[in-house]
Amino acid sequence: NLTNSTLAGKIFGKVFGFDFSINVARRQNDIPYISEIYLENSNAINFPSMSETNVTVLSKSYKMAYHKETEIGFDLEKDWGIFVNRCELAIFIPDEVKTTTYTTVKTPIPFPPTTIVTNITNEEVILKEPYVKWIIGLDKNFDGGWYINFQIAHGLFMERGYKEEKLQDYFTFNIEKGFFDDKLKFKLFGIANTDNFIDKFKDNDIIKSFIDNSAIMGNFEIVYSPIMGLDFKAGICGIDGKGKATLTSYKEYDMFYLEVSSSF
């Protein structure tokens, strides 16, 4: 379907020793949103006093959809010798996105025996304003098979700048050590996440504000690649957090994992 295709262009070059590129893309965002909500409720009234009502949700269902957006991206990179520095920034301009809620309320009336059916429709604009994601990082390959990467990011791939998907701040690091021509690798990866790094310094108790709205994730992984295109992985991942930090939603998903992948 051509209406779901991506149209994009990119220019790139080098200036003052920096590699740079600028891109523009008109595309369909690949993470769905809830376009419609269907609720069916039962409203029981306490007769004859009518002082209390008891609303029971009988059913709930959703309809998912994808939205269109325009993305304008910039990136800058330079090898300083001691490390490689990268800066990336993307401006996302979404089409207007709405969620419509259809609620059917059934109210039984004993005298005379009948049921009153009420239909309510509510429409909410959940995405309209442009938002900006950015990342600043550096990495370095060292002699002896060591690799280090550190990045500061504003906004993850699934965050779109509204409500639960508001853009948050992330500090990530990745340390790798390879053996036997990188056939065996040990990887240590971590993320520190806070809902809004700058706003924390505006609070009266900065330390408490960070603790109450931050999360961390740690991951240790061993990768064995006996031949090109075949990987065996074993790892352990732990997540903990509090408050509004995005990773807090995943704190019950600590895991140990085994993975086999092949590419050809």
Side-chain angles (χ1 to χ4, degrees):
N1 188 335
L2 291 178
T3 61
N4 295 331
S5 62
T6 297
L7 178 65
K10 178 178 180 178
I11 60 173
F12 56 91
K14 184 182 288 286
V15 58
F16 300 117
F18 288 87
D19 295 311
F20 77 93
S21 71
I22 303 172
N23 69 79
V24 179
R26 176 64 180 172
R27 66 188 184 191
Q28 180 172 271
N29 188 287
D30 57 3
I31 298 193
Y33 72 97
I34 299 175
S35 61
E36 296 179 1
I37 303 173
Y38 300 91
L39 299 174
E40 185 177 353
N41 298 338
S42 175
N43 187 21
I45 301 176
N46 183 14
F47 291 96
S49 65
M50 300 183 66
S51 59
E52 296 179 1
T53 60
N54 184 22
V55 179
T56 303
V57 179
L58 301 178
S59 67
K60 180 189 295 185
S61 61
Y62 305 90
K63 181 179 179 181
M64 311 295 287
Y66 297 88
H67 71 85
K68 292 281 191 178
E69 65 183 2
T70 300
E71 180 264 350
I72 305 172
F74 309 87
D75 70 77
L76 201 63
E77 178 179 314
K78 183 174 177 61
D79 187 347
W80 298 93
I82 56 175
F83 58 83
V84 177
N85 183 219
R86 293 184 179 89
C87 305
E88 301 178 17
L89 182 145
I91 303 170
F92 296 87
I93 307 171
D95 290 356
E96 187 173 83
V97 177
K98 298 179 180 179
T99 295
T100 304
T101 303
Y102 302 94
T103 304
T104 300
V105 182
K106 297 181 179 180
T107 307
I109 305 296
F111 305 106
T114 185
T115 298
I116 299 175
V117 178
T118 305
N119 295 309
I120 304 171
T121 300
N122 180 61
E123 190 172 72
E124 179 185 7
V125 176
I126 61 172
L127 193 57
K128 180 180 180 181
E129 301 300 326
Y131 56 95
V132 178
K133 295 183 181 182
W134 55 263
I135 188 168
I136 300 173
L138 57 88
D139 67 343
K140 176 67 175 179
N141 284 294
F142 294 90
D143 294 336
W146 287 94
Y147 171 75
I148 296 177
N149 182 300
F150 175 76
Q151 298 182 84
I152 302 174
H154 182 65
L156 279 189
F157 67 95
M158 75 284 198
E159 295 175 347
R160 288 180 282 205
Y162 71 92
K163 292 188 176 180
E164 293 81 5
E165 292 187 18
K166 74 173 185 176
L167 305 183
Q168 299 198 8
D169 297 311
Y170 302 85
F171 300 82
T172 76
F173 75 89
N174 181 34
I175 302 175
E176 299 180 10
K177 169 61 174 170
F179 298 90
F180 312 115
D181 293 327
D182 284 343
K183 288 185 176 181
L184 179 65
K185 283 186 178 182
F186 293 86
K187 298 182 178 182
L188 182 63
F189 175 74
I191 300 178
N193 163 219
T194 185
D195 62 327
N196 193 305
F197 183 75
I198 299 299
D199 283 354
K200 293 291 169 288
F201 291 94
K202 301 177 183 178
D203 296 333
N204 293 329
D205 192 334
I206 297 175
I207 296 177
K208 185 177 185 302
S209 183
F210 268 108
I211 294 175
D212 290 346
N213 293 283
S214 295
I216 57 173
M217 186 197 82
N219 192 105
F220 177 71
E221 183 178 86
I222 301 174
V223 183
Y224 176 57
S225 306
I227 60 175
M228 184 178 296
L230 180 63
D231 295 329
F232 297 90
K233 297 180 181 180
I236 185 170
C237 177
I239 306 173
D240 196 15
K242 297 174 65 177
K244 299 177 181 179
T246 295
L247 291 181
T248 301
S249 303
Y250 302 91
K251 68 178 183 179
E252 303 299 327
Y253 289 86
D254 300 335
M255 72 180 82
F256 171 76
Y257 59 90
L258 297 170
E259 178 183 324
V260 179
S261 62
S262 177
S263 58
F264 52 89

